[in-house]
Amino acid sequence: MSDVFIPIHQFEIRYTPILDFDMGSKKIVSPFIKLVNSFQIEQENTHRQRISLKFNEDFDTIGIWWDRIFIKTIATNSNFTESPSSFTSLFQPIFEKLKELDSFGNIHTIIFHTIAVKPYVGEINDIINDFKSEYFTDKIDDFCKDAQDYGVVIESQKNEKHITCNLGPYVGVEDLIKRNIGTLTDDKYNQRGRMITVTITATKEDITHKYYKELNELANSYIEKL
Amino acid sequence: MSIVEETILDINKKVTSSENEGNWASIFVETDNTFISNANLAIENEGEKFLKSMLQERENYIINESWGKEIHIHGRILEIGTEEIVCECVINAEEGIFEERIFERELFTNLKNLATNKLVIVKIRKRPGAARIDILSGEGIVNPKIFTIQNQLDEVDNLYFEERPFNYD
């Protein structure tokens, strides 16, 4: 895992929609405003109101919607497994307050999403050919000879967790820009290698930092193996 | 207005007219806030070059503060001394890890109604070679129940050591 970098990571809790979200959400979020760099409110005063809090030089975001709350980091070294971290000091306290709303129902899905890149030295064609020779049989290779991009999807189920791994060659920053993550200026994004996207969806009644770390460990084990 | 322009303005305010000689005179056209927009490009470039060379000589000059790592620690005030304040800081609430940390009292002067048990947020920002600590009110953010549980655990600990149910002698 030493050379692996994580350009995008998102952890999301989805709950039953809070129909009066616009009534109570501002009161919950207001005390946290002094801790963040900036904030944004979309669809204000409607039940689908969306609040975004940006912090850590605006690279990290906490989104609070009527049906979900998420924490997202783009192009930073933010480590939410640490304690204290933005996860334990901002994300969890806001969610705990949301749960105190009379109209809060229950959590129905947890989504853990990570995009990792393992850099390899080589030309674009070598990177693609290495990937094809490792994962494709001749028959599939022949079928895909005119394809412009390649990928493999692996799905598995472990207890309450559904894991989807999507891997393919990483030919440079354009592979990330396709995912609408804005401008990435650091040289490390221009490396080549293999990109692994791990998405874990789980059903869980409550969320702890320990459970987040468990998901992170599981995702890392896939990234390491693939 | 660029950062360099803002910095030139800032420095400009600090120098007196008698110092506006030699190199300075070639940079500053006027001492009001409009001088950069009125100056021609050649003067601006010359000013930027001079400023850059001057800043390179002053290693610790901060043009734009940018912090690499930012953490927010939840806490409450335990003791208020004349010089220092002791805070109980939450390191890991789930595992019950708390730390007592001592800060200079001056950092708390912006807080209203300073008293023991007041909830605070310790905001720490770091980058190589520097750190910044801000103390903010934790009302509405810090959950006071975390400390109540800790208090009860402390009481149980004390009970165990002070009031043993029987003697082994």
Side-chain angles (χ1 to χ4, degrees):
Chain A
M1 294 288 290
S2 58
D3 295 332
V4 176
F5 59 90
I6 311 275
I8 307 169
H9 172 60
Q10 182 165 327
F11 179 74
E12 188 170 316
I13 302 171
R14 291 195 184 176
Y15 38 78
T16 46
I18 303 170
L19 292 177
D20 60 350
F21 181 71
D22 53 320
M23 309 289 279
S25 57
K26 284 182 189 166
K27 193 178 174 188
I28 289 170
V29 173
S30 293
F32 292 85
I33 295 296
K34 64 187 168 197
L35 305 182
V36 301
N37 289 5
S38 60
F39 70 97
Q40 193 180 0
I41 302 176
E42 294 169 84
Q43 301 183 38
E44 194 168 3
N45 298 331
T46 69
H47 65 285
R48 287 175 181 267
Q49 181 171 279
R50 295 173 174 185
I51 303 175
S52 300
L53 305 178
K54 291 184 181 290
F55 51 101
N56 194 12
E57 307 281 328
D58 281 352
F59 288 115
D60 295 348
T61 307
I62 291 177
I64 307 130
W65 297 9
W66 74 315
D67 61 349
R68 73 195 66 178
I69 179 169
F70 61 85
I71 184 165
K72 179 170 71 174
T73 179
I74 294 179
T76 63
N77 295 322
S78 293
N79 185 350
F80 299 145
T81 59
E82 288 175 356
S83 189
S85 64
S86 304
F87 190 96
T88 59
S89 308
L90 299 173
F91 180 73
Q92 277 189 310
I94 293 173
F95 182 57
E96 288 302 318
K97 285 186 173 292
L98 267 183
K99 285 199 298 185
E100 286 170 14
L101 288 175
D102 291 338
S103 44
F104 185 87
N106 58 282
I107 299 169
H108 58 77
T109 314
I110 308 297
I111 300 172
F112 181 101
H113 179 73
T114 282
I115 297 179
V117 175
K118 279 181 174 178
Y120 298 148
V121 178
E123 293 301 315
I124 291 176
N125 284 340
D126 297 336
I127 299 286
I128 292 171
N129 289 333
D130 282 354
F131 178 79
K132 281 159 63 179
S133 63
E134 194 173 340
Y135 288 99
F136 290 179
T137 60
D138 289 344
K139 194 177 175 184
I140 291 176
D141 198 16
D142 187 50
F143 178 74
C144 300
K145 62 186 173 189
D146 295 327
Q148 290 179 330
D149 200 1
Y150 304 89
V152 172
V153 179
I154 302 161
E155 296 203 11
S156 54
Q157 186 80 28
K158 272 190 181 177
N159 302 324
E160 82 287 359
K161 304 178 194 88
H162 182 83
I163 305 131
T164 306
C165 292
N166 192 327
L167 64 149
Y170 178 76
V171 297
V173 73
E174 55 267 32
D175 272 338
L176 294 172
I177 291 170
K178 278 180 200 169
R179 288 167 169 76
N180 294 328
I181 62 165
T183 312
L184 297 170
T185 52
D186 198 314
D187 282 345
K188 73 179 175 188
Y189 301 112
N190 282 319
Q191 297 179 86
R192 296 185 184 112
R194 186 162 298 172
M195 184 157 79
I196 302 148
T197 305
V198 182
T199 306
I200 305 171
T201 51
T203 46
K204 189 90 174 142
E205 283 179 8
D206 205 6
I207 296 305
T208 59
H209 191 225
K210 192 180 171 189
Y211 188 69
Y212 170 81
K213 288 193 278 188
E214 189 185 314
L215 296 179
N216 189 63
E217 209 170 302
L218 181 65
N220 283 346
S221 69
Y222 280 94
I223 293 165
E224 210 160 343
K225 281 181 210 161
L226 294 169
Chain B
M1 186 182 286
S2 74
I3 292 161
V4 172
E5 288 168 355
E6 282 177 8
T7 315
I8 292 172
L9 278 173
D10 191 34
I11 294 168
N12 190 25
K13 285 174 195 165
K14 291 173 186 169
V15 295
T16 60
S17 57
S18 61
E19 287 170 322
N20 281 347
E21 291 176 355
N23 287 334
W24 290 102
S26 63
I27 301 167
F28 302 118
V29 177
E30 293 289 337
T31 54
D32 66 17
N33 288 0
T34 59
F35 82 98
I36 279 289
S37 56
N38 294 336
N40 64 41
L41 193 62
I43 290 174
E44 191 176 329
N45 288 342
E46 195 179 340
E48 281 200 30
K49 276 182 202 168
F50 173 69
L51 183 65
K52 279 177 187 167
S53 67
M54 188 184 73
L55 295 180
Q56 277 165 3
E57 287 169 21
R58 297 175 60 181
E59 286 179 3
N60 297 322
Y61 197 92
I62 300 165
I63 293 179
N64 186 15
E65 278 197 315
S66 171
W67 301 95
K69 190 173 182 181
E70 184 177 303
I71 54 168
H72 302 90
I73 301 175
H74 293 208
R76 69 166 171 171
I77 296 175
L78 282 184
E79 287 174 37
I80 303 174
T82 50
E83 298 289 323
E84 294 163 340
I85 284 182
V86 182
C87 282
E88 186 175 23
C89 296
V90 183
I91 303 303
N92 189 328
E94 284 175 19
E95 292 177 17
I97 302 171
F98 295 78
E99 277 180 10
E100 284 183 18
R101 296 191 182 180
I102 301 168
F103 300 95
E104 279 183 42
R105 186 178 170 136
E106 198 182 348
L107 295 176
F108 292 75
T109 48
N110 60 319
L111 293 184
K112 289 176 187 168
N113 307 324
L114 194 63
T116 52
N117 287 325
K118 187 175 175 64
L119 303 172
V120 292
I121 292 282
V122 182
K123 183 175 181 175
I124 303 174
R125 283 173 279 180
K126 291 179 188 172
R127 62 161 184 262
R132 176 179 166 156
I133 299 173
D134 292 281
I135 306 288
L136 307 160
S137 169
E139 298 299 328
I141 303 172
V142 181
N143 181 1
K145 288 178 190 166
I146 296 173
F147 302 105
T148 313
I149 294 165
Q150 181 65 13
N151 278 347
Q152 286 166 351
L153 288 173
D154 288 345
E155 281 170 19
V156 171
D157 274 354
N158 292 338
L159 186 72
Y160 179 76
F161 288 115
E162 288 168 11
E163 297 173 26
R164 291 198 300 184
F166 57 88
N167 272 328
Y168 290 97
D169 299 332

